[in-house]
Amino acid sequence: MNNGRLCLRNLTSPAYRHVLLLLHWPVFGLLFFCLELFRPAADCYSVRCAMDEWIPFCEWFLIPYLAWFLFLPGMLGYLFFRDPRAFSNMMKFIIFTYGVTILIYLLFPTRQDLRPAVFPRDNSLTRFMAAFYAFDTNTNVCPSIHVLGSMAAGFGALDAGTIRSKGAKAGWMGLALLISVSVVFVKQHSVIDLGAGLVLSAVGWALIYGKTARKRASRTSLKVPRRSVSGGETA
C-alpha cells in the first residue's frame, strides 16, 4: 500500500484525519431534514421584531444571498486541498455552531412570516425569489444557518495560511458579512435570526480560533522592540 495516497486504511493518519470531519454533513442533513419534515410550521414560534418592519425588501440582495451556495463549499474545497489545518478549524467551527443550532431548533422551533405577499417590483430577481420561497420552507430560522455558514467561510479565509494578502482576507470577510446582512433584505430571516447567528458565530470563533489568535498576538508583541530609558531601542 502507498501510505502517501488517501484510502480507507489511512483515514486516521495525521495526513488525512481531516477527511473524517466531512461526516458532519450527512448527519446534519439527516437531522435537519427530519426537523423540516416532521415539525409543522403551525407548531413553530414566529420570530420578528420592530426593526424588521423598517427594513425594506430589496431583490438586489438576492445576489449575495445566493453567493452563499458557492462561498461556503468553495472555501471548504479550497482549504481541504490547500490548507488541511485551516479546513479542520473551519469544520470544527461548523460542527459546533450547526450542532448548537440543531439543538435550538429541536427545543425552540421557529419560523418567520416576513415574506411579502406581493413584491414591490416585477423583474427576474423577484420572480426567482418567488420560486425560491416556494422551494424553501420558512421554518427553523433562528439562528440563521445562512449567517453561520458565511461566517465560517469568512473565518476560514482569515485563518488560511495560503491566503496571505490582507486585502484578500478582508475581501472574503466582507463578503461573509454582506451575505449575512442579505438574509434580512430578502425576507428570509428576521433581524433576530441575524443577531443570533452573529452571536453564536462569535462564541464559535472564541472556542475554535481564539486561542490561536491570542498566541499570534503574543508573538507579535514580543517582536516589538522595547525602548530603553535613554531613548535607544533594545531587543
Side-chain angles (χ1 to χ4, degrees):
M1 181 190 70
N2 185 354
N3 291 325
R5 298 182 62 182
L6 174 62
C7 62
L8 290 176
R9 295 182 62 180
N10 62 10
L11 272 178
T12 56
S13 68
Y16 297 112
R17 196 174 298 156
H18 64 288
V19 177
L20 295 174
L21 295 172
L22 292 173
L23 293 174
H24 157 81
W25 292 110
V27 173
F28 171 80
L30 178 62
L31 293 173
F32 187 80
F33 175 77
C34 289
L35 287 175
E36 290 278 280
L37 184 63
F38 299 112
R39 177 73 58 71
D43 294 342
C44 300
Y45 301 94
S46 181
V47 180
R48 65 193 307 156
C49 65
M51 192 174 293
D52 294 322
E53 311 303 326
W54 303 339
I55 298 174
F57 171 85
C58 180
E59 65 269 27
W60 289 104
F61 279 91
L62 175 62
I63 298 172
Y65 183 85
L66 293 179
W68 183 88
F69 294 96
L70 294 176
F71 186 36
L72 177 58
M75 187 59 68
L76 279 172
Y78 173 81
L79 296 179
F80 181 86
F81 292 106
R82 296 295 304 277
D83 195 333
R85 179 200 60 80
F87 170 83
S88 297
N89 285 340
M90 183 176 170
M91 279 303 307
K92 289 174 184 177
F93 175 91
I94 289 173
I95 290 170
F96 169 73
T97 56
Y98 279 40
V100 171
T101 298
I102 282 290
L103 184 61
I104 293 174
Y105 290 170
L106 180 64
L107 300 177
F108 188 73
T110 51
R111 73 173 193 270
Q112 60 89 2
D113 303 309
L114 299 169
R115 296 174 176 179
V118 179
F119 291 109
R121 291 162 293 279
D122 179 28
N123 53 49
S124 58
L125 292 176
T126 56
R127 287 191 290 272
F128 186 96
M129 200 72 238
F132 196 87
Y133 284 167
F135 165 77
D136 191 29
T137 67
N138 66 333
T139 56
N140 298 316
V141 294
C142 186
S144 167
I145 290 177
H146 222 76
V147 171
L148 295 173
S150 60
M151 297 305 294
F155 291 149
L158 293 181
D159 186 48
T162 52
I163 303 177
R164 296 183 175 87
S165 167
K166 292 183 179 179
K169 289 179 181 290
W172 289 124
M173 197 63 210
L175 177 59
L177 293 172
L178 179 60
I179 293 173
S180 298
V181 171
S182 72
V183 303
V184 298
F185 284 95
V186 296
K187 299 301 178 180
Q188 281 288 84
H189 286 279
S190 164
V191 172
I192 296 174
D193 307 334
L194 168 61
L198 292 176
V199 169
L200 183 54
S201 293
V203 174
W205 182 90
L207 292 175
I208 306 302
Y209 297 105
K211 186 176 181 180
T212 301
R214 287 191 294 271
K215 285 183 178 179
R216 288 176 180 171
S218 176
R219 287 197 298 267
T220 301
S221 64
L222 290 174
K223 293 179 181 178
V224 176
R226 293 178 287 110
R227 292 187 176 276
S228 64
V229 176
S230 61
E233 293 184 351
T234 59

